[in-house]
Amino acid sequence: VAELLTARTAPPDALNAVLDMLEATLVAKAGRAGAVTVATNMAGRGTDIKLDLQARKSGGLHVAITEMHSATRIDRQLIGRAGRQGDPGSAQFLLSLEDELVRLHTPRLAAALKESGNDEELTGASLRMAIALFRLAQRRAEHRGRISRAEVLRQDDWIEKHLPGL
């Protein structure tokens, strides 16, 4: 993604949880018209991007999300970065049938969809099927997460009952 962005625009700034000393500077810069900032999921949490007038007039912050996450909540948080506090903004998913979420939770369905059509850009019925595939994969991941958390709670209860004080 960085290579594609660099080919079309100025090199993007990278905002991640590692560069917390520079984070405020990068977030301030992200609100300028024409700025391109690539951020990890953890970056910029609790920090609002202030748009300059030109960025606001140009449509605001655009968030491009390059993978669906194992929890819908995370995707909604990322989408929510655009259009905060009444500012204009937009969000877009850029997804691949090679995505880890799909590979782990719906591999056979993804393979069938790949075999049925154009690998580059899906349209029409195949696009609707791909969206349904990603949503199914996300629901399955969320379900597995719920089961895992319930198991951890059961183990915690057992430890508390049989090994008090640990």
Side-chain angles (χ1 to χ4, degrees), residues 41-118:
N41 290 349
M42 295 302 296
R45 294 179 70 114
T47 310
D48 282 328
I49 296 171
K50 307 287 188 223
L51 302 179
D52 66 15
L53 185 58
Q54 187 178 354
R56 188 173 278 110
K57 286 181 179 179
S58 298
L61 183 66
H62 181 73
V63 175
I65 303 163
T66 58
E67 67 178 346
M68 285 182 83
H69 297 83
S70 59
T72 310
R73 174 187 56 79
I74 297 169
D75 291 339
R76 286 189 190 129
Q77 287 176 343
L78 293 171
I79 291 166
R81 295 297 296 178
R84 287 175 95 85
Q85 299 181 0
D87 284 337
S90 58
Q92 172 183 17
F93 281 94
L94 306 169
L95 303 173
S96 167
L97 292 174
E98 305 288 326
D99 191 287
E100 182 179 356
L101 183 70
V102 171
R103 281 195 338 263
L104 291 175
H105 300 285
T106 55
R108 285 181 285 203
L109 293 171
L113 184 58
K114 279 189 233 176
E115 289 175 14
S116 72
N118 182 356

Side-chain angles (χ1 to χ4, degrees), residues 28-47:
K29 195 173 166 187
R32 294 184 190 149
V36 177
T37 305
V38 176
T40 64
N41 290 349
M42 295 302 296
R45 294 179 70 114
T47 310

Side-chain angles (χ1 to χ4, degrees), residues 107-164:
R108 285 181 285 203
L109 293 171
L113 184 58
K114 279 189 233 176
E115 289 175 14
S116 72
N118 182 356
D119 284 344
E120 290 299 313
E121 192 166 326
L122 301 174
T123 58
S126 58
L127 176 60
R128 287 189 295 279
M129 287 173 44
I131 291 168
L133 175 80
F134 273 93
R135 288 188 177 141
L136 175 62
Q138 202 168 47
R139 281 195 306 274
R140 286 180 176 177
E142 288 173 331
H143 178 71
R144 284 186 185 172
R146 282 191 298 276
I147 289 170
S148 294
R149 287 188 299 278
E151 183 60 31
V152 167
L153 286 174
R154 277 193 294 278
Q155 290 173 2
D156 283 350
D157 289 345
W158 185 91
I159 289 170
E160 192 63 37
K161 180 179 177 183
H162 294 91
L163 305 169

